Amino acid sequence: ETELTTRIKPFFQKWHSIFSMTDEEAAHLIHQAAPDILIDLSGHTGGNRLPMFFLRPAPIQATWLGYFASTGIETIDFIIGDQFVTPHNASDQFTEKIIQMPAAYCCFSAPNFELEVTETPALRKWSITFGCLNRADKISRDLIGVWARILNESPDSSMYFRGAGYDDTIKDMIIYDFEKNGVKKDRLLFAKKTSRKDFLASYKNVDICLDTFPYPGGTSTCEALWMGVPVITKQGVNFLSRVGETIANNSGNESFIAENDEEYISLALQLTKDIPMLNKLRMGRREKTLNSPLFNAKVFAADFERLLFEMYQTKKEIS
């Protein structure tokens, strides 16, 4: 049992491990337990049990949280999202029926340790440090082209990278692509990811975060906002690429959502023009973020409970 298992297990009336069971055995166990609703939390990720859902062990089946697209399985009735990641006009992207949370489809918790928000580093050195603390495999050549334009139009700026996957080969590729776009190697700063507390503390080195696209940050964006750092993100065309939108809209940072590359560049450069204001907003962003729907677990739980009853009623009416 993991630490997570130990923490959440007492909140359940019954707990069964199906890890060692076949799909047929697990489906039989679930059917015998007779839940009204069964929710998949994995989608098409490693170790999923999607084949079990073909056997329909529960009368209502839904998918939520663990995957950023449709399962494509007709026996899964609903996909749980929100107005940004699963707008109703995108229903053709899903085999499931869209059902929406009133705010964000996900909820984040602040870390369980203390870490102060520090003043924006540009106040000390009077030059901007942009940052990307997302996984390295979210960075494409096209994205580097956009980031390079921002750095080229902000000549004294630099860019700070930290996260998973920045090994020597990937780092060299990133440097190469930036240099092809006119940004010298000495303006690119790389750090290794260590403990979570140390990782979050490194936001003291960053003035403005630039979100990756079309695969935006999720946890990393919420962590940046918790540390007071603004995040420029971009609108998307599907569930995955819209995650940045829902985080920004549900944390009071909707002004940092760009419609296209040009607006993304413009928003980033605009933030560099007034460093005292950049710092003022930074110092109040944590409180604003913690009071937003994105971090309000109590409201989220109540909304999710109502959504379960909505699914139940909707399925009953369809049947």
Side-chain angles (χ1 to χ4, degrees):
E1 291 192 356
T2 64
E3 181 182 342
L4 174 64
T5 304
T6 303
R7 178 165 61 85
I8 68 175
K9 195 172 180 179
F11 294 95
F12 291 82
Q13 290 180 335
K14 292 183 180 180
W15 183 281
H16 300 280
S17 173
I18 63 169
F19 179 77
S20 60
M21 296 182 183
T22 65
D23 290 328
E24 291 77 9
E25 290 169 341
H28 179 72
L29 174 66
I30 293 168
H31 181 72
Q32 291 296 311
D36 293 300
I37 301 173
L38 180 65
I39 301 177
D40 158 61
L41 296 174
S42 298
H44 292 280
T45 59
N48 74 76
R49 303 302 295 263
L50 286 179
M52 183 187 70
F53 283 80
F54 279 107
L55 302 172
R56 195 176 273 285
I60 301 171
Q61 302 189 146
T63 185
W64 172 58
L65 195 62
Y67 193 57
F68 306 105
S70 174
T71 62
I73 296 175
E74 293 183 358
T75 53
I76 294 184
D77 307 293
F78 298 97
I79 184 165
I80 300 170
D82 60 45
Q83 62 177 310
F84 302 106
V85 294
T86 54
H88 288 301
N89 62 10
S91 59
D92 60 339
Q93 297 178 3
F94 305 95
T95 56
E96 306 88 354
K97 180 178 177 60
I98 292 171
I99 192 161
Q100 296 176 339
M101 289 284 286
Y105 81 102
C106 53
C107 185
F108 288 82
S109 297
N112 57 0
F113 49 76
E114 294 293 326
L115 197 60
E116 290 186 0
V117 174
T118 58
E119 290 187 332
T120 201
L123 277 180
R124 301 190 305 273
K125 55 183 184 176
W126 216 247
S127 63
I128 293 290
T129 303
F130 296 101
C132 172
L133 281 78
N134 294 342
R135 295 200 325 255
D137 57 7
K138 293 184 177 183
I139 300 174
S140 67
R141 285 194 169 93
D142 289 342
L143 180 59
I144 289 174
V146 173
W147 286 348
R149 288 180 59 188
I150 294 171
L151 267 66
N152 285 328
E153 293 188 43
S154 181
D156 295 326
S157 64
S158 57
M159 188 142 184
Y160 179 88
F161 296 90
R162 190 169 194 171
Y166 292 95
D167 58 28
D168 290 339
T169 302
I170 298 296
K171 187 170 92 171
D172 289 345
M173 290 172 63
I174 291 171
I175 292 170
Y176 175 78
D177 285 325
F178 267 105
E179 289 186 326
K180 275 181 62 180
N181 285 277
V183 178
K184 291 184 179 179
K185 176 181 179 179
D186 59 7
R187 296 176 65 190
L188 307 175
L189 313 169
F190 294 87
K192 292 184 178 180
K193 185 174 181 179
T194 52
S195 69
R196 189 183 184 202
K197 188 171 185 178
D198 184 50
F199 179 71
L200 294 185
S202 65
Y203 279 104
K204 69 180 183 292
N205 303 312
V206 178
D207 297 291
I208 302 163
C209 274
L210 301 178
D211 200 5
T212 48
F213 62 83
Y215 191 168
T219 300
S220 59
T221 300
C222 294
E223 290 174 340
L225 297 175
W226 185 74
M227 289 303 299
V229 182
V231 181
I232 306 298
T233 193
K234 185 181 166 186
Q235 288 181 358
V237 296
N238 54 26
F239 193 136
L240 173 62
S241 60
R242 293 181 181 127
V243 170
E245 287 180 66
T246 198
I247 292 173
N249 275 295
N250 284 290
S251 62
N253 291 281
E254 57 275 2
S255 61
F256 299 142
I257 304 170
E259 290 187 11
N260 50 49
D261 291 355
E262 296 302 322
E263 188 173 5
Y264 183 97
I265 294 166
S266 176
L267 288 173
L269 294 173
Q270 186 179 340
L271 283 177
T272 70
K273 305 301 183 186
D274 189 341
I275 292 174
M277 180 56 69
L278 182 66
N279 184 64
K280 181 181 178 181
L281 295 173
R282 179 189 183 105
M283 300 311 291
R285 187 166 283 112
R286 175 178 290 180
E287 183 179 1
K288 179 181 178 181
T289 300
L290 289 176
N291 289 325
S292 72
L294 192 66
F295 277 77
N296 195 325
K298 191 171 184 178
V299 170
F300 181 88
D303 288 340
F304 198 86
E305 183 180 14
R306 282 190 289 271
L307 179 134
L308 293 175
F309 282 101
E310 183 184 343
M311 274 197 293
Y312 183 84
Q313 188 60 38
T314 300
K315 181 66 174 177
K316 187 176 177 182
E317 290 171 358
I318 292 173
S319 301

